[in-house]
Amino acid sequence: MHLNINEANKIFRKSIIKGFFEPELLNLDFKKSPVKHPSITDDGLMQSDLLHVFFDVETGSDYPDGDEWFIVELLFPHDVKLPDSLKGTDYFTTLSIEDGKTYWHHRELIRYKYGKSKKLLDALDFLESKYKELHELLEPLQKDLK
């Protein structure tokens, strides 16, 4: 069986996510998310209903170095108006879903391999710190979600 680079990178990315990132996040008090992402079919993880982590194995999988990184999507699955201070590429941008509703999401490149060295723990630390940073920014909105 011969795999093209796109297929091989998707398999490699999924194995890194399922074999390392998901178990490590579960050790950090994440749990399976009940939220379904509008475009990513795999399940996500969360520590609270405010912010959900999804792994995008598709974007960039056709790149020659696509076995060294993937995109993580941090989803705020609530159709609410965000303050302008939380909008933009550093924070959240809109994600249109059905019925004219809008969720908010933030995408980050997670590079876990540099040349011959794997930096899985560094990548995990970055992902966890980004989750905490964005979650903290969303906490004042929690009262409006009830």
mmCIF file of all heavy atoms in Angstrom, residues 14-47:
data_model
loop_
_atom_site.group_PDB
_atom_site.id
_atom_site.type_symbol
_atom_site.label_atom_id
_atom_site.label_comp_id
_atom_site.label_asym_id
_atom_site.label_seq_id
_atom_site.Cartn_x
_atom_site.Cartn_y
_atom_site.Cartn_z
ATOM 1 N N LYS A 14 -2.710 12.211 13.664
ATOM 2 C CA LYS A 14 -3.720 11.583 14.530
ATOM 3 C C LYS A 14 -3.068 10.703 15.587
ATOM 4 O O LYS A 14 -3.506 10.678 16.730
ATOM 5 C CB LYS A 14 -4.712 10.759 13.705
ATOM 6 C CG LYS A 14 -5.819 11.587 13.114
ATOM 7 C CD LYS A 14 -6.916 10.693 12.557
ATOM 8 C CE LYS A 14 -8.008 11.573 12.022
ATOM 9 N NZ LYS A 14 -9.324 11.137 12.353
ATOM 10 N N SER A 15 -2.015 9.988 15.218
ATOM 11 C CA SER A 15 -1.366 9.105 16.192
ATOM 12 C C SER A 15 -0.675 9.918 17.284
ATOM 13 O O SER A 15 -0.716 9.533 18.456
ATOM 14 C CB SER A 15 -0.392 8.149 15.504
ATOM 15 O OG SER A 15 0.694 8.839 14.940
ATOM 16 N N ILE A 16 -0.066 11.047 16.943
ATOM 17 C CA ILE A 16 0.559 11.918 17.952
ATOM 18 C C ILE A 16 -0.521 12.490 18.880
ATOM 19 O O ILE A 16 -0.356 12.544 20.097
ATOM 20 C CB ILE A 16 1.344 13.074 17.272
ATOM 21 C CG1 ILE A 16 2.601 12.536 16.583
ATOM 22 C CG2 ILE A 16 1.675 14.190 18.241
ATOM 23 C CD1 ILE A 16 3.737 12.201 17.502
ATOM 24 N N ILE A 17 -1.640 12.918 18.301
ATOM 25 C CA ILE A 17 -2.734 13.497 19.091
ATOM 26 C C ILE A 17 -3.345 12.436 20.013
ATOM 27 O O ILE A 17 -3.496 12.658 21.214
ATOM 28 C CB ILE A 17 -3.802 14.119 18.157
ATOM 29 C CG1 ILE A 17 -3.238 15.379 17.501
ATOM 30 C CG2 ILE A 17 -5.081 14.418 18.920
ATOM 31 C CD1 ILE A 17 -4.016 15.852 16.290
ATOM 32 N N LYS A 18 -3.698 11.276 19.444
ATOM 33 C CA LYS A 18 -4.353 10.214 20.231
ATOM 34 C C LYS A 18 -3.385 9.565 21.218
ATOM 35 O O LYS A 18 -3.785 9.149 22.296
ATOM 36 C CB LYS A 18 -4.936 9.134 19.312
ATOM 37 C CG LYS A 18 -6.027 9.633 18.381
ATOM 38 C CD LYS A 18 -7.306 9.844 19.104
ATOM 39 C CE LYS A 18 -8.414 10.277 18.155
ATOM 40 N NZ LYS A 18 -9.433 11.048 18.809
ATOM 41 N N GLY A 19 -2.114 9.462 20.851
ATOM 42 C CA GLY A 19 -1.150 8.767 21.692
ATOM 43 C C GLY A 19 -0.459 9.640 22.725
ATOM 44 O O GLY A 19 0.049 9.140 23.724
ATOM 45 N N PHE A 20 -0.432 10.963 22.474
ATOM 46 C CA PHE A 20 0.253 11.838 23.424
ATOM 47 C C PHE A 20 -0.631 12.976 23.925
ATOM 48 O O PHE A 20 -0.891 13.087 25.108
ATOM 49 C CB PHE A 20 1.541 12.423 22.823
ATOM 50 C CG PHE A 20 2.220 13.387 23.754
ATOM 51 C CD1 PHE A 20 2.958 12.917 24.838
ATOM 52 C CD2 PHE A 20 2.094 14.759 23.585
ATOM 53 C CE1 PHE A 20 3.561 13.799 25.728
ATOM 54 C CE2 PHE A 20 2.687 15.644 24.463
ATOM 55 C CZ PHE A 20 3.425 15.173 25.538
ATOM 56 N N PHE A 21 -1.075 13.851 23.029
ATOM 57 C CA PHE A 21 -1.753 15.072 23.459
ATOM 58 C C PHE A 21 -3.059 14.801 24.207
ATOM 59 O O PHE A 21 -3.294 15.380 25.273
ATOM 60 C CB PHE A 21 -1.985 16.029 22.274
ATOM 61 C CG PHE A 21 -0.734 16.722 21.848
ATOM 62 C CD1 PHE A 21 0.040 16.219 20.823
ATOM 63 C CD2 PHE A 21 -0.287 17.854 22.504
ATOM 64 C CE1 PHE A 21 1.221 16.843 20.443
ATOM 65 C CE2 PHE A 21 0.884 18.490 22.142
ATOM 66 C CZ PHE A 21 1.645 17.979 21.104
ATOM 67 N N GLU A 22 -3.918 13.948 23.679
ATOM 68 C CA GLU A 22 -5.182 13.684 24.377
ATOM 69 C C GLU A 22 -4.966 13.046 25.752
ATOM 70 O O GLU A 22 -5.544 13.524 26.729
ATOM 71 C CB GLU A 22 -6.123 12.853 23.495
ATOM 72 C CG GLU A 22 -6.725 13.680 22.384
ATOM 73 C CD GLU A 22 -7.738 12.926 21.544
ATOM 74 O OE1 GLU A 22 -7.983 11.713 21.778
ATOM 75 O OE2 GLU A 22 -8.301 13.568 20.639
ATOM 76 N N PRO A 23 -4.142 11.984 25.866
ATOM 77 C CA PRO A 23 -3.926 11.422 27.210
ATOM 78 C C PRO A 23 -3.312 12.432 28.191
ATOM 79 O O PRO A 23 -3.690 12.470 29.361
ATOM 80 C CB PRO A 23 -2.966 10.242 26.968
ATOM 81 C CG PRO A 23 -3.137 9.892 25.537
ATOM 82 C CD PRO A 23 -3.510 11.154 24.837
ATOM 83 N N GLU A 24 -2.388 13.253 27.722
ATOM 84 C CA GLU A 24 -1.768 14.247 28.595
ATOM 85 C C GLU A 24 -2.785 15.304 29.032
ATOM 86 O O GLU A 24 -2.784 15.735 30.181
ATOM 87 C CB GLU A 24 -0.563 14.901 27.910
ATOM 88 C CG GLU A 24 0.624 13.983 27.770
ATOM 89 C CD GLU A 24 1.211 13.535 29.105
ATOM 90 O OE1 GLU A 24 1.275 14.352 30.045
ATOM 91 O OE2 GLU A 24 1.603 12.355 29.203
ATOM 92 N N LEU A 25 -3.644 15.745 28.124
ATOM 93 C CA LEU A 25 -4.679 16.711 28.493
ATOM 94 C C LEU A 25 -5.670 16.092 29.481
ATOM 95 O O LEU A 25 -6.117 16.763 30.412
ATOM 96 C CB LEU A 25 -5.398 17.244 27.251
ATOM 97 C CG LEU A 25 -4.562 18.188 26.378
ATOM 98 C CD1 LEU A 25 -5.283 18.489 25.062
ATOM 99 C CD2 LEU A 25 -4.232 19.472 27.108
ATOM 100 N N LEU A 26 -5.997 14.825 29.300
ATOM 101 C CA LEU A 26 -6.885 14.148 30.258
ATOM 102 C C LEU A 26 -6.240 14.102 31.645
ATOM 103 O O LEU A 26 -6.923 14.241 32.648
ATOM 104 C CB LEU A 26 -7.237 12.743 29.766
ATOM 105 C CG LEU A 26 -8.163 12.693 28.541
ATOM 106 C CD1 LEU A 26 -8.249 11.274 27.984
ATOM 107 C CD2 LEU A 26 -9.541 13.246 28.849
ATOM 108 N N ASN A 27 -4.921 13.969 31.692
ATOM 109 C CA ASN A 27 -4.201 14.022 32.972
ATOM 110 C C ASN A 27 -4.235 15.420 33.593
ATOM 111 O O ASN A 27 -3.987 15.573 34.787
ATOM 112 C CB ASN A 27 -2.741 13.589 32.802
ATOM 113 C CG ASN A 27 -2.604 12.107 32.599
ATOM 114 O OD1 ASN A 27 -3.480 11.333 32.972
ATOM 115 N ND2 ASN A 27 -1.502 11.695 31.996
ATOM 116 N N LEU A 28 -4.507 16.428 32.790
ATOM 117 C CA LEU A 28 -4.585 17.820 33.256
ATOM 118 C C LEU A 28 -6.035 18.239 33.505
ATOM 119 O O LEU A 28 -6.382 19.408 33.380
ATOM 120 C CB LEU A 28 -3.931 18.758 32.233
ATOM 121 C CG LEU A 28 -2.433 18.556 32.016
ATOM 122 C CD1 LEU A 28 -1.956 19.374 30.824
ATOM 123 C CD2 LEU A 28 -1.659 18.931 33.277
ATOM 124 N N ASP A 29 -6.889 17.294 33.833
ATOM 125 C CA ASP A 29 -8.299 17.526 34.166
ATOM 126 C C ASP A 29 -9.159 17.972 32.990
ATOM 127 O O ASP A 29 -10.195 18.602 33.182
ATOM 128 C CB ASP A 29 -8.443 18.526 35.324
ATOM 129 C CG ASP A 29 -7.889 17.955 36.619
ATOM 130 O OD1 ASP A 29 -7.995 16.731 36.805
ATOM 131 O OD2 ASP A 29 -7.348 18.723 37.429
ATOM 132 N N PHE A 30 -8.756 17.665 31.783
ATOM 133 C CA PHE A 30 -9.642 17.853 30.638
ATOM 134 C C PHE A 30 -10.537 16.619 30.575
ATOM 135 O O PHE A 30 -10.194 15.559 31.088
ATOM 136 C CB PHE A 30 -8.840 17.979 29.332
ATOM 137 C CG PHE A 30 -8.248 19.334 29.101
ATOM 138 C CD1 PHE A 30 -7.107 19.723 29.786
ATOM 139 C CD2 PHE A 30 -8.821 20.225 28.209
ATOM 140 C CE1 PHE A 30 -6.543 20.970 29.582
ATOM 141 C CE2 PHE A 30 -8.271 21.474 27.993
ATOM 142 C CZ PHE A 30 -7.127 21.847 28.681
ATOM 143 N N LYS A 31 -11.677 16.774 29.941
ATOM 144 C CA LYS A 31 -12.565 15.636 29.714
ATOM 145 C C LYS A 31 -13.162 15.772 28.321
ATOM 146 O O LYS A 31 -13.049 16.816 27.685
ATOM 147 C CB LYS A 31 -13.645 15.562 30.794
ATOM 148 C CG LYS A 31 -14.485 16.815 30.929
ATOM 149 C CD LYS A 31 -15.431 16.704 32.130
ATOM 150 C CE LYS A 31 -16.219 17.955 32.320
ATOM 151 N NZ LYS A 31 -15.669 18.944 33.218
ATOM 152 N N LYS A 32 -13.805 14.704 27.871
ATOM 153 C CA LYS A 32 -14.404 14.718 26.538
ATOM 154 C C LYS A 32 -15.470 15.807 26.463
ATOM 155 O O LYS A 32 -16.288 15.944 27.360
ATOM 156 C CB LYS A 32 -14.994 13.352 26.220
ATOM 157 C CG LYS A 32 -15.515 13.256 24.814
ATOM 158 C CD LYS A 32 -16.068 11.874 24.509
ATOM 159 C CE LYS A 32 -16.739 11.907 23.156
ATOM 160 N NZ LYS A 32 -17.493 10.709 22.884
ATOM 161 N N SER A 33 -15.453 16.527 25.385
ATOM 162 C CA SER A 33 -16.418 17.610 25.170
ATOM 163 C C SER A 33 -17.708 17.060 24.559
ATOM 164 O O SER A 33 -17.659 16.242 23.638
ATOM 165 C CB SER A 33 -15.808 18.644 24.220
ATOM 166 O OG SER A 33 -16.793 19.553 23.795
ATOM 167 N N PRO A 34 -18.861 17.540 25.055
ATOM 168 C CA PRO A 34 -20.124 17.140 24.431
ATOM 169 C C PRO A 34 -20.433 17.975 23.177
ATOM 170 O O PRO A 34 -21.362 17.671 22.441
ATOM 171 C CB PRO A 34 -21.153 17.433 25.524
ATOM 172 C CG PRO A 34 -20.563 18.574 26.299
ATOM 173 C CD PRO A 34 -19.072 18.349 26.261
ATOM 174 N N VAL A 35 -19.648 19.009 22.939
ATOM 175 C CA VAL A 35 -19.874 19.923 21.815
ATOM 176 C C VAL A 35 -19.321 19.312 20.534
ATOM 177 O O VAL A 35 -18.236 18.735 20.526
ATOM 178 C CB VAL A 35 -19.196 21.290 22.099
ATOM 179 C CG1 VAL A 35 -19.196 22.184 20.872
ATOM 180 C CG2 VAL A 35 -19.877 21.975 23.267
ATOM 181 N N LYS A 36 -20.068 19.439 19.458
ATOM 182 C CA LYS A 36 -19.605 19.007 18.143
ATOM 183 C C LYS A 36 -19.116 20.235 17.387
ATOM 184 O O LYS A 36 -19.797 21.251 17.336
ATOM 185 C CB LYS A 36 -20.726 18.311 17.358
ATOM 186 C CG LYS A 36 -21.192 17.016 18.000
ATOM 187 C CD LYS A 36 -20.076 15.997 18.034
ATOM 188 C CE LYS A 36 -20.477 14.753 18.795
ATOM 189 N NZ LYS A 36 -19.324 14.029 19.304
ATOM 190 N N HIS A 37 -17.950 20.123 16.806
ATOM 191 C CA HIS A 37 -17.379 21.221 16.022
ATOM 192 C C HIS A 37 -18.062 21.244 14.657
ATOM 193 O O HIS A 37 -18.350 20.189 14.092
ATOM 194 C CB HIS A 37 -15.871 21.003 15.869
ATOM 195 C CG HIS A 37 -15.155 22.184 15.339
ATOM 196 N ND1 HIS A 37 -15.171 22.516 14.006
ATOM 197 C CD2 HIS A 37 -14.408 23.117 15.962
ATOM 198 C CE1 HIS A 37 -14.458 23.619 13.828
ATOM 199 N NE2 HIS A 37 -13.984 24.002 15.011
ATOM 200 N N PRO A 38 -18.316 22.433 14.106
ATOM 201 C CA PRO A 38 -19.009 22.497 12.815
ATOM 202 C C PRO A 38 -18.215 21.913 11.635
ATOM 203 O O PRO A 38 -18.803 21.511 10.649
ATOM 204 C CB PRO A 38 -19.264 23.990 12.591
ATOM 205 C CG PRO A 38 -18.642 24.713 13.719
ATOM 206 C CD PRO A 38 -18.133 23.738 14.717
ATOM 207 N N SER A 39 -16.879 21.849 11.728
ATOM 208 C CA SER A 39 -16.121 21.326 10.588
ATOM 209 C C SER A 39 -15.098 20.248 10.936
ATOM 210 O O SER A 39 -14.590 19.584 10.053
ATOM 211 C CB SER A 39 -15.417 22.479 9.852
ATOM 212 O OG SER A 39 -14.538 23.147 10.720
ATOM 213 N N ILE A 40 -14.786 20.046 12.198
ATOM 214 C CA ILE A 40 -13.847 19.000 12.613
ATOM 215 C C ILE A 40 -14.660 17.833 13.157
ATOM 216 O O ILE A 40 -15.451 18.004 14.076
ATOM 217 C CB ILE A 40 -12.859 19.532 13.682
ATOM 218 C CG1 ILE A 40 -12.011 20.668 13.093
ATOM 219 C CG2 ILE A 40 -11.986 18.410 14.221
ATOM 220 C CD1 ILE A 40 -11.121 21.374 14.109
ATOM 221 N N THR A 41 -14.467 16.653 12.580
ATOM 222 C CA THR A 41 -15.323 15.524 12.939
ATOM 223 C C THR A 41 -14.915 14.834 14.237
ATOM 224 O O THR A 41 -15.752 14.237 14.901
ATOM 225 C CB THR A 41 -15.351 14.478 11.807
ATOM 226 O OG1 THR A 41 -14.012 14.086 11.513
ATOM 227 C CG2 THR A 41 -16.005 15.041 10.561
ATOM 228 N N ASP A 42 -13.639 14.883 14.608
ATOM 229 C CA ASP A 42 -13.203 14.221 15.836
ATOM 230 C C ASP A 42 -13.728 14.949 17.065
ATOM 231 O O ASP A 42 -14.001 16.153 17.027
ATOM 232 C CB ASP A 42 -11.675 14.157 15.902
ATOM 233 C CG ASP A 42 -11.094 13.183 14.884
ATOM 234 O OD1 ASP A 42 -11.797 12.235 14.493
ATOM 235 O OD2 ASP A 42 -9.934 13.375 14.485
ATOM 236 N N ASP A 43 -13.839 14.211 18.167
ATOM 237 C CA ASP A 43 -14.292 14.796 19.426
ATOM 238 C C ASP A 43 -13.261 15.774 19.977
ATOM 239 O O ASP A 43 -12.060 15.643 19.716
ATOM 240 C CB ASP A 43 -14.535 13.702 20.472
ATOM 241 C CG ASP A 43 -15.753 12.856 20.145
ATOM 242 O OD1 ASP A 43 -16.689 13.369 19.498
ATOM 243 O OD2 ASP A 43 -15.771 11.679 20.543
ATOM 244 N N GLY A 44 -13.754 16.706 20.771
ATOM 245 C CA GLY A 44 -12.883 17.669 21.423
ATOM 246 C C GLY A 44 -12.740 17.371 22.904
ATOM 247 O O GLY A 44 -13.337 16.429 23.428
ATOM 248 N N LEU A 45 -11.949 18.204 23.565
ATOM 249 C CA LEU A 45 -11.723 18.106 25.004
ATOM 250 C C LEU A 45 -12.010 19.455 25.636
ATOM 251 O O LEU A 45 -11.982 20.486 24.951
ATOM 252 C CB LEU A 45 -10.277 17.701 25.289
ATOM 253 C CG LEU A 45 -9.837 16.338 24.762
ATOM 254 C CD1 LEU A 45 -8.332 16.169 24.921
ATOM 255 C CD2 LEU A 45 -10.575 15.223 25.472
ATOM 256 N N MET A 46 -12.278 19.455 26.942
ATOM 257 C CA MET A 46 -12.575 20.709 27.634
ATOM 258 C C MET A 46 -12.264 20.560 29.115
ATOM 259 O O MET A 46 -12.234 19.446 29.636
ATOM 260 C CB MET A 46 -14.042 21.071 27.463
ATOM 261 C CG MET A 46 -14.975 20.046 28.093
ATOM 262 S SD MET A 46 -16.673 20.564 27.996
ATOM 263 C CE MET A 46 -17.316 19.787 29.465
ATOM 264 N N GLN A 47 -12.042 21.686 29.764
ATOM 265 C CA GLN A 47 -11.997 21.717 31.221
ATOM 266 C C GLN A 47 -13.282 22.331 31.747
ATOM 267 O O GLN A 47 -13.686 22.064 32.859
ATOM 268 C CB GLN A 47 -10.787 22.516 31.711
ATOM 269 C CG GLN A 47 -9.500 21.736 31.639
ATOM 270 C CD GLN A 47 -8.332 22.500 32.209
ATOM 271 O OE1 GLN A 47 -8.184 23.701 31.998
ATOM 272 N NE2 GLN A 47 -7.475 21.807 32.924
#
